[in-house]
Each structure stands twice: as structure tokens, then as C-alpha cells.
Amino acid sequence: MLGKLRRLNQAVSEIALKESERLPSNERRRFLRSGLFTAGGAMVGGALGGLSPRLGAAQTQYPPEIPSWTRSLGAGVVSDPYGVPSPFEKDVIRRNVPWLTADKVSSISFSPLQHLKGIITPNGLFFERHHAGRPEIDPQQHRLMIHGLVERPIVLSMEDLQRFPSVSQINFIECPANGGMEWRGAQLNSLQFLHGMVSCAEWTGVRLSTLLQEVGMKPEGKWLLAEGADGAAMTRSIPMEKALDDVIVAFAQNGEALRREQGYPIRLVVPGWEGNTHVKWLRRLEVGDKPWMQREETSKYTDLMPDGTAHGFTWVMEAKSVITSPCPEMPVRGKGVCQIEGLAWSGRGKVKAVDVSVDGGRNWQQAQLREPVMSKSLTRFSLEWNWDGSPALLQSRVIDETGYVQPTLGQLKAVRGTNSIYHKNAIQTWQISGDGSVTNVQL
């Protein structure tokens, strides 16, 4: 028996070694250095009784054994008419912080950034922000009115709207309160709860400039009021310069109709600007000669400064980055080579570079940006790290195409103080302990 096991281990290792020869030299070195080419032999041994207790539960499913799911028929087509995730991904969900708000109808859910891949957020995981709950709107009964300082006021049905030429663009949306609970100190040991109020999607709709051209704006029309059909009648004033630039009236997200919590049947997408300007369940656009100074742009969504004054209309979401692995939910799994991965974005345009530090900002290395790199969109970055088991302080900082550099928390507080809850884009620090666990700290 022992002789058979040794021969089988040797055969598996030889196959793995031959496969490694097909890799580029740098990838092959990494493959061999990681010891993966011998793991096959170890797993064969485990299949015959030598696995650790953690892997032993699944021992009969590993090669050279034939797994149970290969010996039976699976579910047929349209078993799930609308596709659903695997039950093994049941923990990859949006979550909320119960004590954050008094009621769920005016609250927030957070995207599980630690589990997401690429830059597109699945529709079912896109973060939520409601001011009066999620309305149920019949698209056949919904209308968009455009009026005010225009030559030809109109009321559009969904069918009317979709007669106009459509465009698609990939943009992030971020709540300006993302991370805002931590201005005065570290509170939550979770990537999802600290930074999960940002998501990214492909949006499809009609350019707002196309609709404004259709109604014919009067020369004195310098501002636009967007109003939602939710119970809060969410409204925001938008300067005409932005409205005519890259704003769209979106009716689709990632190839399908908007989800109800994302503004079904239509919403604004205002690339690079704070999430509350992306008015959901859009029902009215009014052209005017000055901002309306509504509740959401006076008592809310203003930045309280150290001297007690408040800055209004701070629309742009400044450049920001965060390491998504390792993070509190994704600890380091033992010594050796691993990938430091994360997300970066800027409301002013493209990400130009991301630096990573493993010693709390004393030394920096430039990370690799993963394609695609697009304007006002999430961007992936990564850096190979050989962890020796020592404590570490992981940070990332982004530089966007305008030259803006993500600030430290101290730099941000020196200008902004600690009275605000909005636009906290400071460098995030993760403390790595000797056992690989990760803790949120502030430096």
C-alpha cells in the first residue's frame, strides 16, 4: 500500500511539474516556490487517509477520486428562471448596522467589498441608501416631467424615454458618509461597514443633455432641480454645466432594468458626484436660474468646518483607495507570498497610480493597476507581498489624473476638523498581527 501511495504521489507531482513548464519563467518560479507542485501528492495522500481534520471532511471528493457531483445528473435549464448565486455563497450579502439609524426606511446597507471581484458590483449587492423606504412604482404609470425655464415642457412615459438614443457608461456611486462614522476614532472592525457604501455598475440610459436639448433651455436656465418619487421627495440642485456634461437618466443597470432599490424605473447617474445627487425614482426635472436650497442641501449634505461654518455643494467625491485583502474579514492565511489587493477611485477622473505600504506609511511601493482603468469608475490594484509573519501596518494611497493625492487622516483633520460626517477619504490602516488577523486602526 505504501509503495502504491508513493508512486501515485510521484506521478501527480510529475504532472504538476510538467504543467508548470508551460508557464512564463516568473510565474513558474512563483508556482514552484509556493510548493503547490507537491500539494497534489499531499492531497492524494489525504485521499487515502493522510489529510488534516480540516480537509478530511471532503477527502473523497479530491483527485484521483471521482466527486459525487460527477456521478449524477444536475439541475436542468430554467430550474431557476432568474439565476441565483450558489448556496455556498450565502454569506456574500449586503448588511446594515442596526444602531446606525433609527429606522430601516431611512438607512443604509453596505456592499461586501471583501468578497467582490473585478470592478462591477452585482445588482443584488449594490449598496442601498433610502430616505423614506423603497417605493413600488408601476412603470406604466410613471412619468418624467421636464419644465421650468424651457421652451417646450414635456411629460415622458417610459416608452417615450426609450425612444431617445441610449448610451452606456461604467461609473461608481459613493455615499458621502462612507466611512464617516470614524472621524474621531476607529469604531468598526470591518471593511464592509467602513467602506461598503460604494459600488460600481454599467449604467444605460439617455444623456440628460439630449433631453434638455429636446425641451429647449432658456438662456437664463443655469440650474436643474431633480426630484424623486419616493416618500421623501428627495431633491437636489445641480448646476447646468454638470447636467450638460456626463449625466444620464438611467433605466438599466448591468444589462437589466434597474433594481427597485436602485431607483426603478429611472434614476439620475451623476458621475463622480456624491450619491445623493444621483436621484432615484426620478419624476421631475425643473430648469431654474439659481439653486433651490432644499433640505438635502442645507441641513443635510453640508460639511461642518472647525469654525462652525458649513460648506455646501461639495459634490465631488475625492480620490480614495482601500485594501480589500487582507482586511478584517479576510485575514492572512499563513506566511509566504500573497497578494495585497484593493480598490481605488476618484470623482475627478481616472486613477493614475496607487502606492502600498506595509509599515504604516514609512515606505511605499507602487502597486499594479488592473485593467480596465476608466474615468470615475472603480479600479483594481494589487501588489505581491511575502509575509514573514511579523506584525505589519498596511495602507494604500491613490493619486488621480489631476495630481490629487489621497491624504492621511491627520492631514484631513487639519483642514476639516472632526465635526463633519461627509467626505472622509483618508488613508485606511489595517494592522496585521502575527497570527494573520487584521484590525482597523488609525495612525
Side-chain angles (χ1 to χ4, degrees):
M1 180 66 180
L2 183 59
K4 289 182 180 180
L5 176 59
R6 287 174 177 169
R7 288 194 296 273
L8 190 53
N9 282 346
Q10 183 179 0
V12 172
S13 296
E14 287 175 356
I15 292 171
L17 192 58
K18 287 181 180 179
E19 289 298 316
S20 76
E21 292 173 353
R22 301 180 183 182
L23 299 171
S25 58
N26 62 327
E27 294 292 331
R28 183 171 184 268
R29 286 194 299 272
R30 187 182 308 165
F31 178 77
L32 297 176
R33 186 171 68 244
S34 69
L36 292 177
F37 76 102
T38 62
M43 290 175 68
V44 170
L48 298 176
L51 276 181
S52 66
R54 185 174 65 85
L55 297 177
Q59 60 182 351
T60 60
Q61 309 299 335
Y62 291 126
E65 301 294 333
I66 297 175
S68 59
W69 48 82
T70 305
R71 298 195 295 266
S72 61
L73 294 175
V77 296
V78 297
S79 297
D80 298 302
Y82 189 94
V84 295
S86 163
F88 296 101
E89 301 298 322
K90 60 182 174 53
D91 293 328
V92 183
I93 56 174
R94 294 179 292 214
R95 290 181 168 85
N96 72 306
V97 179
W99 52 261
L100 186 61
T101 55
D103 197 293
K104 285 185 178 181
V105 299
S106 181
S107 192
I108 300 157
S109 73
F110 302 80
S111 291
L113 300 183
Q114 68 276 10
H115 294 301
L116 301 185
K117 309 299 180 185
I119 64 171
I120 297 296
T121 307
N123 290 350
L125 298 177
F126 208 97
F127 86 95
E128 303 166 277
R129 171 67 171 112
H130 305 325
H131 293 81
R134 183 196 70 201
E136 297 288 351
I137 297 177
D138 179 352
Q140 297 297 321
Q141 300 295 319
H142 189 72
R143 297 292 185 270
L144 172 62
M145 179 170 67
I146 306 176
H147 66 120
L149 297 177
V150 299
E151 301 292 344
R152 299 174 295 278
I154 57 174
V155 177
L156 299 172
S157 67
M158 287 299 298
E159 182 178 339
D160 295 331
L161 181 65
Q162 294 186 42
R163 288 175 178 267
F164 289 92
S166 66
V167 297
S168 294
Q169 55 195 46
I170 296 176
N171 297 119
F172 74 84
I173 299 179
E174 182 180 18
C175 177
N178 200 18
M181 294 174 284
E182 302 226 330
W183 273 101
R184 301 189 182 189
Q187 294 191 60
L188 298 170
N189 198 45
S190 163
L191 168 67
Q192 183 168 5
F193 292 141
L194 286 173
H195 301 283
M197 285 192 282
V198 63
S199 300
C200 187
E202 179 192 51
W203 307 99
T204 300
V206 179
R207 289 205 181 280
L208 183 52
S209 59
T210 300
L211 298 177
L212 292 175
Q213 183 179 18
E214 180 72 15
V215 298
M217 291 188 304
K218 295 181 178 180
E220 59 270 31
K222 303 298 182 184
W223 286 80
L224 187 76
L225 181 72
E227 180 182 279
D230 58 328
M234 177 69 183
T235 46
R236 281 307 309 257
S237 301
I238 299 172
M240 194 58 66
E241 182 180 9
K242 180 64 174 178
L244 295 174
D245 180 19
D246 54 2
V247 178
I248 66 172
V249 175
F251 47 74
Q253 176 184 359
N254 293 334
E256 65 176 6
L258 292 172
R259 293 292 176 96
R260 295 173 297 173
E261 64 270 26
Q262 296 305 324
Y264 182 85
I266 53 173
R267 72 174 300 165
L268 278 190
V269 173
V270 188
W273 283 25
E274 55 189 25
N276 57 84
T277 64
H278 301 237
V279 175
K280 296 185 287 188
W281 312 292
L282 186 66
R283 66 171 296 271
R284 186 168 71 91
L285 293 168
E286 181 180 354
V287 177
D289 60 356
K290 57 182 179 297
W292 279 258
M293 307 305 291
Q294 299 278 19
R295 183 191 71 150
E296 305 299 340
E297 48 205 16
T298 52
S299 67
K300 304 291 186 292
Y301 300 115
T302 57
D303 298 282
L304 191 60
M305 304 302 286
D307 63 0
T309 61
H311 285 186
F313 298 130
T314 52
W315 300 290
V316 177
M317 298 307 298
E318 295 86 356
K320 186 175 180 180
S321 69
V322 64
I323 292 171
T324 58
S325 179
C327 71
E329 297 94 332
M330 305 290 281
V332 185
R333 301 295 185 184
K335 300 178 184 179
V337 176
C338 65
Q339 294 291 321
I340 296 174
E341 298 183 345
L343 291 167
W345 60 97
S346 173
R348 300 186 188 277
K350 288 185 179 181
V351 168
K352 181 180 179 181
V354 176
D355 298 326
V356 170
S357 174
V358 298
D359 57 10
R362 288 191 293 271
N363 298 282
W364 296 92
Q365 302 177 66
Q366 187 165 337
Q368 180 178 356
L369 301 184
R370 301 295 186 182
E371 294 293 341
V373 178
M374 296 176 290
S375 181
K376 301 169 188 174
S377 171
L378 294 186
T379 298
R380 282 269 169 194
F381 65 85
S382 65
L383 178 73
E384 186 177 287
W385 182 38
N386 189 0
W387 185 53
D388 62 5
S390 301
L393 294 168
L394 267 57
Q395 296 181 334
S396 66
R397 67 179 181 193
V398 60
I399 301 94
D400 69 19
E401 62 181 346
T402 70
Y404 179 95
V405 180
Q406 184 180 2
T408 65
L409 183 58
Q411 290 170 332
L412 196 61
K413 285 183 176 180
V415 176
R416 301 278 305 282
T418 58
N419 293 327
S420 179
I421 62 170
Y422 302 120
H423 294 269
K424 181 181 174 292
N425 67 318
I427 291 172
Q428 170 69 53
T429 305
W430 299 130
Q431 182 178 57
I432 311 296
S433 299
D435 62 359
S437 61
V438 184
T439 305
N440 168 38
V441 298
Q442 290 188 353
L443 297 182

